């Protein structure tokens, strides 16, 4: 939930996430399935919060949640519900505007939600940020690659440096594969554990898992790796339709 890349492909897209967490946190369960208004959902389940940080729906849409909105924040002692529930519950709304206008964000810790919606073969990236008081929503160009780094772990200088590494990796690349971007998420950086994509800091905070969603015309494939145990798993979700939802 702390580093995310989006790559457009000919038939869909790749959404890949590094999860930076305490090694003491309960191990996520993958694969885990749920149902929503968008159909079946496939995700790694966080047993501690009862939600997830990345998922794909059988309508061909996917989403990822990062901690923090625009800047690092002071955490409260408790919140009404886990942010990991927000990403799951967002798929209970038929349209993105319904979610934005009707969902109760009160007393939920700040987050950034990236939701990729496929509608009639076209892709839309919705960037939704909640700072604890106000919601921000914008559309991001789905024809271009993107990188997001959590503001709670990476300051402005660190995020700029990571943007540069991503741009260098993208240079002269025309095609993207799940294996290529996963390798970048594991080894991208400059050899500095506190900033590299596969990070490790004092106190047991490190990148504990890697999840990559590949959306094709007929199916979604999720590759999940627990970096603590080195266990890997791949699950496929057959898509009912790539029509997806719309923002209207």
């Amino acid at each position: 939930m702390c580093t995310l890349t989006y790559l457009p492909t000919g038939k869909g897209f790749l959404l890949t996430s590094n999860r930076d967490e305490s090694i003491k946190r309960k191990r996520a369960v993958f694969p885990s399935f749920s149902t929503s208004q968008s159909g079946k959902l496939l995700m790694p389940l966080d047993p501690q919060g009862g939600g997830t940080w990345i998922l794909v729906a059988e309508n061909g849409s996917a989403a990822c949640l990062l901690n923090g909105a625009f800047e690092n924040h002071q955490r409260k002692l408790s919140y009404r519900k886990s942010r990991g529930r927000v990403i799951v519950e967002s798929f209970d709304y038929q349209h993105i505007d319904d979610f934005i206008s009707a969902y109760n964000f009160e007393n939920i810790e700040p987050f950034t939600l990236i939701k990729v919606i496929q509608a009639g073969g076209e892709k839309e990236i919705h960037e939704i940020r909640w700072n604890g008081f106000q919601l921000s929503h914008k559309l991001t160009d789905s024809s271009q690659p993107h990188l997001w780094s959590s503001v709670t772990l990476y300051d402005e200088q660190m995020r700029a440096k990571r943007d540069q590494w991503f741009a260098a990796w993208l240079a002269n690349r025309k095609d993207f594969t799940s294996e290529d971007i996963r390798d970048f998420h594991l080894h991208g950086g400059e050899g500095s554990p506190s900033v590299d994509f596969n990070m490790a800091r004092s106190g047991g905070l490190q990148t504990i898992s890697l999840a990559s969603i590949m959306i094709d015309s007929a199916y979604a494939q999720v590759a999940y790796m627990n970096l603590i145990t080195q266990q890997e798993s791949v699950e496929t979700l057959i898509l009912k339709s790539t029509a997806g939802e719309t923002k209207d």
Side-chain angles (χ1 to χ4, degrees):
M1 63 172 61
C2 295
T3 304
L4 175 69
T5 59
Y6 162 85
L7 296 171
T9 62
K11 296 181 179 180
F13 59 90
L14 289 162
L15 203 63
T16 306
S17 167
N18 282 16
R19 188 186 190 201
D20 303 337
E21 266 290 357
S22 169
I23 58 174
K24 297 178 182 179
R25 194 176 183 96
K26 291 182 180 179
R27 186 185 306 177
V29 179
F30 181 82
S32 181
F33 293 93
S34 184
T35 56
S36 71
Q37 293 296 321
S38 302
K40 183 182 289 187
L41 306 177
L42 170 61
M43 58 192 167
L45 179 68
D46 177 16
Q48 185 164 316
T52 190
W53 63 99
I54 188 168
L55 64 79
V56 62
E58 65 179 343
N59 67 355
S61 298
C64 183
L65 186 141
L66 296 91
N67 292 340
F70 296 100
E71 58 186 22
N72 202 358
H73 60 275
Q74 185 68 42
R75 295 194 68 187
K76 299 196 299 186
L77 291 177
S78 64
Y79 291 92
R80 185 169 58 85
K81 69 167 66 177
S82 167
R83 291 168 291 191
R85 291 299 310 162
V86 177
I87 181 174
V88 178
E89 292 167 0
S90 73
F91 282 83
D92 285 332
Y93 295 82
Q94 185 175 2
H95 303 298
I96 193 75
D97 283 348
D98 296 335
F99 166 67
I100 291 170
S101 63
Y103 192 83
N104 181 11
F105 295 95
E106 183 180 355
N107 198 21
I108 294 176
E109 190 169 0
F111 63 82
T112 297
L113 175 62
I114 305 300
K115 194 163 188 179
V116 187
I117 296 172
Q118 295 205 109
E122 298 295 325
K123 296 182 284 288
E124 295 179 345
I125 302 177
H126 295 265
E127 188 173 312
I128 302 166
R129 296 177 188 260
W130 168 250
N131 66 2
F133 306 97
Q134 188 174 11
L135 196 72
S136 170
H137 171 228
K138 73 173 186 178
L139 280 170
T140 300
D141 187 357
S142 64
S143 68
Q144 298 298 316
H146 296 285
L147 164 71
W148 296 268
S149 297
S150 172
V151 297
T152 60
L153 285 180
Y154 305 100
D155 61 26
E156 185 176 357
Q157 183 177 2
M158 290 177 178
R159 296 196 302 272
K161 184 178 292 188
R162 291 165 136 242
D163 289 342
Q164 292 172 2
W165 296 336
F166 188 49
W169 181 82
L170 287 170
N172 302 317
R173 288 180 182 268
K174 296 182 179 180
D175 300 310
F176 308 110
T177 67
S178 178
E179 291 77 12
D180 289 342
I181 188 60
R182 292 175 74 228
D183 181 75
F184 176 69
H185 272 253
L186 289 173
H187 303 108
E190 60 183 15
S192 174
S194 64
V195 186
D196 285 354
F197 280 74
N198 190 356
M199 64 89 85
R201 297 180 184 174
S202 60
L205 179 64
Q206 66 182 72
T207 304
I208 62 173
S209 67
L210 171 66
S212 186
I213 296 173
M214 181 190 71
I215 299 286
D216 208 324
S217 57
Y219 67 93
Q221 188 176 79
V222 183
Y224 181 76
M225 177 187 291
N226 183 316
L227 297 176
I228 306 300
T229 64
Q230 295 300 306
Q231 292 178 308
E232 297 184 58
S233 181
V234 178
E235 188 72 30
T236 298
L237 182 65
I238 303 300
L239 303 181
K240 278 190 173 181
S241 168
T242 56
E245 57 180 315
T246 69
K247 68 182 182 69
D248 299 322

